[in-house]
Amino acid sequence: MVGQPLHLLSPLVASTYLLVALLDITYGENQRASILWVIGLMVAMLAGALIFGVIPWKGPIG
């Protein structure tokens, strides 16, 4: 789930083609404008998952 925002910028997602067509921009412009925001969001989601214990800090001992 943490990587899902970056997946939405891939050319495999049809809704992104609709978005760039409605905004009258190119696919590359959309990716360049969004990539830093998406990476920041992914880091924040990963940090939240670590803080709340969704992803454990250490694996089981033994």
Side-chain angles (χ1 to χ4, degrees):
M1 292 305 296
V2 174
Q4 188 66 25
L6 186 61
H7 168 69
L8 289 174
L9 290 179
S10 77
L12 301 174
V13 180
S15 62
T16 310
Y17 286 105
L18 177 61
L19 173 72
V20 297
L22 289 173
L23 294 176
D24 197 30
I25 60 174
T26 65
Y27 204 86
E29 289 172 352
N30 177 47
Q31 287 179 326
R32 281 189 294 275
S34 303
I35 193 74
L36 291 178
W37 288 101
V38 166
I39 290 173
L41 176 62
M42 288 172 47
V43 169
M45 289 171 64
L46 182 60
L50 288 169
I51 289 169
F52 290 113
V54 175
I55 301 173
W57 288 95
K58 295 181 181 179
I61 298 174

